Amino acid sequence: MSLKIHNILPFVALFLVFQSCKSTEEEKAKPNVLFILADDFGYHDMSVMGSKYYETPNIDRIATEGMIFTDGYAACQVCSPSRASIMTGKFAARHGITDWIGAATGEKWRNAGRSNQLLPPEYNHALNKDYITLPEAMKEAGYRTFFAGKWHLGEKGSWPEDHGFDINKGGWDVGSPMGGYFAPWENPNLESGPDGENLSMRLARETVDFIKANKDTAFFAYLSFYAVHGPIQTTQEKWAKYRQKAEEQGIPETGFKMGHFLPIRQVQDNPIYGGLVETMDDAVGVVLKALDEMGLAENTIVIFTSDNGGVSAGDAFATSNLPLRGGKGYQFEGGIREPYFIKVPGMGNGQKCVTPVSGTDFYPTILDLVGAQLKPEEHNDGVSLLPLLKGENIAERPLIWHYPHYGNQGGEPSSIIREGDWKLIHYYEDGHEELYNLKNDISETSDLAAEFQDKKEALSKKLFAMLDEMGARYPERDPEWTQEKEDAHMKNVIEKRWPQLEKQRLQFLSPDFDPENNWWGSKVTRD
């Protein structure tokens, strides 16, 4: 008996080695995933989407080699809710992070000095740890997971490493690039580089280092740029390039139009923002080039999107989203419609898909693309887009947005539903509703609520049934609000803030513009 066991041991060992090799080969055969998320990057902030001002050849490449979802949406008009929806596959009303984490609620909102009619409701300030997030699901599927850049989904204890990422480079509490885009910066999870190192390029290099270290196994790399969030900064060379470009295209005397609460930028001619955009695109190019050089491009899914619309009002008033109305923080298409590109080797090839899709769909789509088991009990509000990538169809469904807050950019507390070509907006200040047919009116200029009363009522009923099922929270009236206070605030915006913005715009475009600080310190040489 002992002799028989002794004789069979070599065969057992050989079998185990074979199984181990087979397992390794299976891991290598799995497609890698590179997910690139820009911050505050608008639908028309790329050459491929029609911009005549910004230059984005590397982002354009992802679009033209993949599928362009023309009606791709973020799950909210501001950052934290959208980012949570990508991680969970849930609409904001369901996961409860309905505003950027750090925004004031209740009576504290009065400190903003806006004199608004409503007090925004409380919201969750971190991802729920009971959820199985997208990176956790990818780990279950055998993937190494990596995060670089902006997180903004909770304080320590709710950082990327607490929600499924093996490595975290730069993700922490805040949503803006503390210290700016040039080293030295202030980030507890990303050691500052030599003076003048660019943050976007650093995040790209960290991503490349991870890919190189894991090129022989399956990886999920999540590159989440702080760009192009304010403060907007660039190099002197790039500023000069885009200043000259604006001059060649013709500089209008005025660049803003008054919105409901703030002036809204109408032209793409900010040379500082143009340089910031190009640097982010350069960083994207660094990672794409690395995939090519390592022979990984043909086995890597690349996704590019943004967390909300470009900032046309508030913050840095950086870009225009026209012909889309509004921008970041707004209930209009400029606030929620995003660049939404999925590149799967062998699929897409620059084709355009007009089916409305959401940030909630990335979770199930990625699982489906890598052959992992879907988790419909987790990604409740997302569906796999694999059929669309194959040129097939998915069932029509309603998409909803819930933002019961005042945006820093001038947006109003509202909830939205889109179904087919129809979009309904419910406003919480006075309860009125607007109805638009996006197929015929992408700029949302013709409110059809009175003409199509039945459609308005049906969509409104469906919207609130979904919100109530998700446990949505709603704003309350501020008993201290008066029309006189609000009128006084708006008078100051129109008479002082608006002229200041027009003056600043022209200063940025002046040949002798001087920032009077070291925000283009990237000219510092490295020894």
Side-chain angles (χ1 to χ4, degrees), residues 104 106-114:
E107 294 182 357
K108 292 181 180 178
W109 177 249
R110 294 176 186 147
N111 296 333
R114 293 266 299 269

Side-chain angles (χ1 to χ4, degrees), residues 64-338:
T64 56
E65 293 181 0
M67 180 168 281
I68 299 170
F69 290 82
T70 61
D71 293 42
Y73 289 97
C76 187
Q77 49 266 59
V78 296
C79 58
S80 297
S82 296
R83 292 165 181 272
S85 292
I86 294 171
M87 288 290 112
T88 65
K90 304 176 191 295
F91 288 137
R94 191 184 300 278
H95 61 60
I97 303 175
T98 53
D99 205 353
W100 61 275
I101 294 174
T105 59
E107 294 182 357
K108 292 181 180 178
W109 177 249
R110 294 176 186 147
N111 296 333
R114 293 266 299 269
S115 300
N116 297 128
Q117 297 182 37
L118 304 176
L119 298 175
E122 187 52 82
Y123 57 89
N124 294 343
H125 287 243
L127 277 180
N128 188 328
K129 288 192 175 181
D130 291 336
Y131 296 155
I132 299 174
T133 63
L134 171 57
E136 288 171 337
M138 293 297 281
K139 283 175 67 70
E140 288 180 9
Y143 280 75
R144 283 277 290 164
T145 58
F146 169 87
F147 183 91
K150 173 173 173 174
W151 178 244
H152 207 184
L153 288 174
E155 298 178 348
K156 189 171 184 178
S158 187
W159 283 353
E161 58 267 39
D162 302 304
H163 293 283
F165 287 104
D166 295 319
I167 299 172
N168 169 29
K169 295 290 184 177
W172 65 304
D173 309 20
V174 303
S176 58
M178 304 300 288
Y181 284 100
F182 301 112
W185 49 70
E186 303 164 17
N187 188 313
N189 292 327
L190 187 69
E191 182 180 353
S192 195
D195 286 355
E197 182 180 22
N198 181 271
L199 178 59
S200 296
M201 296 300 289
R202 170 64 176 276
L203 294 174
R205 287 191 284 266
E206 294 283 358
T207 304
V208 170
D209 288 346
F210 167 79
I211 292 173
K212 285 181 178 178
N214 293 275
K215 61 184 177 62
D216 295 325
T217 188
F219 61 79
F220 173 56
Y222 196 102
L223 174 53
S224 177
F225 287 110
Y226 281 93
V228 287
H229 193 289
I232 58 172
Q233 298 174 341
T234 189
T235 63
Q236 189 169 5
E237 291 76 15
K238 279 186 166 59
W239 164 80
K241 171 184 175 177
Y242 283 95
R243 194 212 68 79
Q244 181 66 29
K245 193 169 184 178
E247 186 171 80
E248 291 171 355
Q249 293 180 355
I251 300 175
E253 184 177 341
T254 61
F256 293 86
K257 179 180 178 181
M258 191 61 202
H260 188 77
F261 287 124
L262 284 173
I264 301 175
R265 179 179 274 270
Q266 303 293 295
V267 290
Q268 292 185 345
D269 64 1
N270 186 324
I272 303 172
Y273 184 73
L276 179 60
V277 167
E278 183 177 306
T279 299
M280 180 180 70
D281 185 78
D282 291 342
V284 170
V286 167
V287 185
L288 296 182
K289 181 180 179 182
L291 290 175
D292 290 335
E293 292 176 345
M294 286 185 274
L296 297 175
E298 291 306 309
N299 193 42
T300 301
I301 297 159
V302 182
I303 295 171
F304 181 88
T305 192
S306 177
D307 60 353
N308 47 248
V311 184
S312 59
D315 301 352
F317 293 82
T319 192
S320 169
N321 300 293
L322 293 176
L324 302 185
R325 185 176 175 185
K328 176 184 178 180
Y330 282 82
Q331 60 276 12
F332 304 115
E333 293 294 283
I336 56 177
R337 192 180 291 217
E338 313 307 321

Side-chain angles (χ1 to χ4, degrees), residues 10-24:
F11 297 99
V12 172
L14 185 62
F15 174 76
L16 291 175
V17 169
F18 173 77
Q19 287 297 106
S20 175
C21 292
K22 182 180 177 183
S23 176
T24 302

